[in-house]
Amino acid sequence: MSKILSRIICFISLFIYSEAMSYEESSFKVVKKTEIYEIRQYPKRLVAKTTYDTNDSSGFRKLFKYITGSNELNQEIKMTTPVTEEKEGDKMVMQFFLPASFTLQNVPTPNDQNINISTIDAGYYAVLRYTGRTNNRNFIKHKKILDKALIKDGIKPNSIPIKAIYNGPFTLPILRRNEVMYNIDWIK
């Protein structure tokens, strides 16, 4: 078999594998939908999170080690979606949402002291969904679209923008699901 053909088969296999994996997704209820964004109501959620320098890319690796058994019980934890990133001062915060079967009482303690287990309170989020690469340029482009739509509709975010990533790195950009999210107050 030629090198080119074996590379094509490898690429196709990775693509099929990344699309075939099924992840538990954080539950939510859509309470309003516009042409540009939707308002979602999320319940209280449990996350594993880590903070790292903006020029560092160790956040995902640390969290992935935790869910693959680097914890007090050596327990594997199923991957869920989304993985979120947000900027906090001069640092980045990455979060893995934990499966709904876990609570603060039964979740394994991480071996890495830089990983914290915490809860995100129930709340409302304005969300714009987009495809393409997960890079900052694409995120900022869609953040500006969401910002403009929220200003037009008189909705003021309570948080900094959150980048939500749903697919693995081998998913073709056109098939990727990414989101820009803001925590908001919602009374309607």
Side-chain angles (χ1 to χ4, degrees):
M1 185 181 306
S2 75
K3 285 184 179 180
I4 293 174
L5 183 58
S6 65
R7 286 182 181 158
I8 290 171
I9 291 171
C10 180
F11 176 76
I12 290 171
S13 298
L14 288 171
F15 170 72
I16 291 170
Y17 177 70
S18 70
E19 286 303 303
M21 292 186 293
S22 176
Y23 299 123
E24 178 182 327
E25 182 176 337
S26 295
S27 65
F28 61 85
K29 176 180 160 188
V30 176
V31 296
K32 179 181 177 174
K33 189 168 179 70
T34 73
E35 288 183 18
I36 298 173
Y37 66 93
E38 59 189 26
I39 305 294
R40 296 180 185 164
Q41 180 182 20
Y42 282 93
K44 187 175 183 177
R45 296 160 287 156
L46 192 64
V47 295
K49 70 180 185 177
T50 190
T51 303
Y52 53 98
D53 291 327
T54 54
N55 59 354
D56 188 5
S57 61
S58 65
F60 185 89
R61 187 173 44 255
K62 288 178 186 179
L63 292 169
F64 189 74
K65 282 177 69 175
Y66 167 68
I67 67 168
T68 55
S70 182
N71 56 62
E72 68 176 343
L73 302 176
N74 297 321
Q75 179 179 357
E76 286 195 26
I77 300 169
K78 289 190 178 194
M79 183 80 181
T80 63
T81 59
V83 171
T84 62
E85 283 184 317
E86 58 189 88
K87 193 168 183 179
E88 195 173 271
D90 62 345
K91 302 278 187 184
M92 293 297 293
V93 176
M94 181 174 280
Q95 299 179 133
F96 278 18
F97 292 84
L98 297 173
S101 59
F102 286 104
T103 66
L104 283 174
Q105 290 71 39
N106 71 359
V107 68
T109 301
N111 291 340
D112 186 336
Q113 294 180 355
N114 294 312
I115 296 174
N116 298 314
I117 305 299
S118 61
T119 57
I120 297 176
D121 290 332
Y124 294 91
Y125 290 79
V127 181
L128 179 139
R129 185 174 176 166
Y130 63 98
T131 61
R133 301 196 181 280
T134 59
N135 61 34
N136 283 334
R137 192 171 119 213
N138 200 19
F139 174 71
I140 290 168
K141 172 186 165 186
H142 289 90
K143 174 199 152 325
K144 288 178 181 178
I145 294 168
L146 180 56
D147 289 346
K148 185 176 177 182
L150 293 177
I151 289 169
K152 179 180 170 260
D153 292 346
I155 299 171
K156 185 176 178 185
N158 294 331
S159 70
I160 57 175
I162 301 164
K163 181 192 295 184
I165 303 163
Y166 287 82
N167 303 100
F170 298 110
T171 304
L172 293 174
I174 193 72
L175 299 175
R176 286 186 183 161
R177 175 183 172 191
N178 307 303
E179 294 174 345
V180 179
M181 307 174 77
Y182 284 109
N183 177 256
I184 62 167
D185 290 323
W186 188 254
I187 303 175
K188 298 182 182 183

